[in-house]
Amino acid sequence: MNECQDFRHSISLTGDRPTGPLHLGHYVGSLKTRLSLQDTCSKQFIMLADLQAMVNENMGMSTIKSYINEVVKDYISVGLSPDKNVIFTQSKITPLHEIITYYNTLITLSHLHHNPTIKQEMEDRATHAGTHQHCVSNNDHNMSINMHFLLHPVSQAADITAFNADVVPVGHDQLPLIHLANDIVDKFNIKFGQTLKNVKPILSNTPRLSGIDGRAKASKSLNNAIFLSDTTDIVKKKVHSMYTDPDHIHVSQPGKIEGNVVFEYLTAFYPNQEHIDELKQNYTRGGLGDMFLKNMLFKTLEDFLGPIRERRAQVTDEHVSAILDTGSQIAFDIAQSTLERIKNSMLL
Ligand code: TRP
């Protein structure tokens, strides 16, 4: 994120699919940006995209609800304040559905089909289905795509515009969805007169963290992430099982930094980067053991997670419900007034 940018007059909006508790990768990739935006933006909306989770992940609502509870606790425990942010649940904001219907009139099927984010997600799903059901052709699979899944870029455009967002902090993979939202905004404004604002993405300059097993992405389903809510014992186990350099068998041997997850996490969380640079040199030269580095990372993560755990212990389920009720009421009123504006412009 560009630290010099002035966001004082900007409204920010982000969303998370509540499909699991948040992990260190979320912290580095997006929570950190939100922590800074809560103090620099005029207002920040944080949405729990439960409907998107239901469709994209094929998860039941009771599971999603329990994750909503956990994710809100994650927010509060890292320091996102309910006084500075509007934290709300997507499914409670019913005016969004009406907005989606109007936006659907502006967009073609080919527009959605050719959206790179959707294309990638469809390919992932086709591959996934193919491995499970054998011989499902991509075409057959495309025809069985859930309608709301195909329409989720429109739903996301509604999310972004309903709360008058100026900026949306996202990862690179979500950029085509921001472009589509701006296409919808432009089409709407040309057809019905200036009504909606364009939005700018804010890209985090730290990519998401690798999984502890060395895979490109940490995720709950791969069981390779360290969660913000993990206990000391679990963190210790996970750190000690981390992927390093498989060819670094003896301490005296030179080790590789590239792909070495311990160094990746140390770079993300250890406060003194000069020290890390020295350790990297020693490791490459030979003479520095993985055990030493893992103990150092464990201590670093414990220093980071300690205060987060303390704050988490003070947040009750009732507190979470109250935060979501208040946030969802505020978000509802704003979305409703955007809907009125849209309908006025359309002369409905
Ligand atoms: N698609 C986002 C994700 O998968 C979640 C999301 C839903 C979102 N609506 C949004 C993100 C609006 C930014 C803006 O994480």
Side-chain angles (χ1 to χ4, degrees):
M1 178 179 150
N2 186 347
E3 304 295 341
C4 307
Q5 252 173 293
D6 182 358
F7 293 115
R8 265 175 304 172
H9 303 293
S10 301
I11 298 172
S12 162
L13 177 124
T14 44
D16 289 305
R17 274 178 280 176
T19 54
L22 301 184
H23 52 67
L24 295 179
H26 292 119
Y27 183 83
V28 170
S30 79
L31 295 175
K32 236 170 137 175
T33 310
R34 294 183 202 173
L35 283 168
S36 124
L37 284 172
Q38 76 174 351
D39 293 319
T40 49
C41 260
S42 78
K43 192 173 269 177
Q44 176 159 244
F45 291 88
I46 303 177
M47 181 177 73
L48 290 134
D50 55 347
L51 287 180
Q52 208 179 92
M54 199 171 142
V55 177
N56 290 23
E57 313 284 331
N58 198 15
M59 248 181 204
M61 213 47 184
S62 60
T63 315
I64 292 173
K65 274 192 176 147
S66 71
Y67 286 139
I68 288 179
N69 191 41
E70 291 308 305
V71 171
V72 174
K73 286 184 181 177
D74 289 328
Y75 292 158
I76 308 302
S77 62
V78 296
L80 286 169
S81 156
D83 299 328
K84 294 181 187 170
N85 301 284
V86 180
I87 301 173
F88 67 100
T89 319
Q90 185 184 35
S91 61
K92 294 274 192 289
I93 318 301
T94 48
L96 287 174
H97 302 300
E98 217 173 321
I99 297 178
I100 292 170
T101 303
Y102 300 135
Y103 289 176
N104 279 343
T105 67
L106 299 167
I107 217 87
T108 63
L109 190 56
S110 107
H111 221 121
L112 294 175
H113 252 294
H114 294 120
N115 187 283
T117 310
I118 285 286
K119 248 166 104 175
Q120 183 58 48
E121 287 184 16
M122 289 228 279
E123 270 167 33
D124 292 350
R125 286 168 156 236
T127 317
H128 192 69
T131 54
H132 286 278
Q133 293 165 20
H134 301 293
C135 311
V136 174
S137 78
N138 275 5
N139 227 359
D140 287 348
H141 185 74
N142 282 353
M143 294 309 281
S144 66
I145 285 275
N146 180 294
M147 278 308 295
H148 191 80
F149 169 76
L150 191 61
L151 286 174
H152 93 248
V154 182
S155 161
Q156 205 150 310
D159 297 340
I160 292 167
T161 50
F163 308 102
N164 309 311
D166 300 288
V167 292
V168 181
V170 283
H172 271 277
D173 62 321
Q174 300 274 312
L175 275 183
L177 297 183
I178 306 287
H179 291 153
L180 191 95
N182 279 327
D183 280 351
I184 292 178
V185 166
D186 293 340
K187 281 187 182 184
F188 191 99
N189 289 343
I190 289 170
K191 202 163 174 186
F192 303 112
Q194 188 64 36
T195 311
L196 302 165
K197 275 200 269 187
N198 282 111
V199 66
K200 284 198 190 73
I202 304 179
L203 286 172
S204 139
N205 39 21
T206 334
R208 293 218 159 168
L209 288 180
S210 302
I212 57 173
D213 54 1
R215 285 200 242 195
K217 205 169 166 182
S219 85
K220 181 180 162 287
S221 54
L222 295 172
N223 193 21
N224 65 354
I226 297 179
F227 296 105
L228 296 166
S229 47
D230 276 346
T231 61
T232 299
D233 282 350
I234 291 177
V235 172
K236 192 176 214 163
K237 256 194 223 132
K238 287 185 176 173
V239 168
H240 284 282
S241 75
M242 262 186 176
Y243 183 87
T244 56
D245 170 4
D247 298 324
H248 186 233
I249 296 159
H250 300 293
V251 175
S252 58
Q253 288 175 317
K256 259 209 319 254
I257 308 292
E258 212 195 296
N260 189 319
V261 183
V262 175
F263 272 112
E264 188 186 335
Y265 278 60
L266 277 172
T267 307
F269 291 96
Y270 192 75
N272 179 349
Q273 286 308 308
E274 274 170 34
H275 190 189
I276 299 298
D277 290 341
E278 275 168 36
L279 293 174
K280 280 183 183 168
Q281 282 174 18
N282 291 349
Y283 193 77
T284 318
R285 213 183 295 129
L288 185 58
D290 288 322
M291 209 48 193
F292 173 86
L293 291 170
K294 284 182 172 176
N295 284 333
M296 179 171 163
L297 176 60
F298 169 62
K299 167 126 200 347
T300 305
L301 292 183
E302 280 298 289
D303 287 347
F304 171 73
L305 291 171
I308 292 178
R309 284 190 198 116
E310 268 170 42
R311 247 173 285 164
R312 185 184 199 92
Q314 285 161 18
V315 191
T316 61
D317 293 350
E318 290 71 32
H319 191 193
V320 171
S321 296
I323 290 169
L324 287 173
D325 284 350
T326 309
S328 299
Q329 188 57 54
I330 296 171
F332 184 100
D333 291 345
I334 296 171
Q336 184 63 38
S337 75
T338 304
L339 172 62
E340 297 304 332
R341 226 173 50 238
I342 287 172
K343 284 165 61 170
N344 270 336
S345 297
M346 295 176 82
L347 304 176
L348 288 166

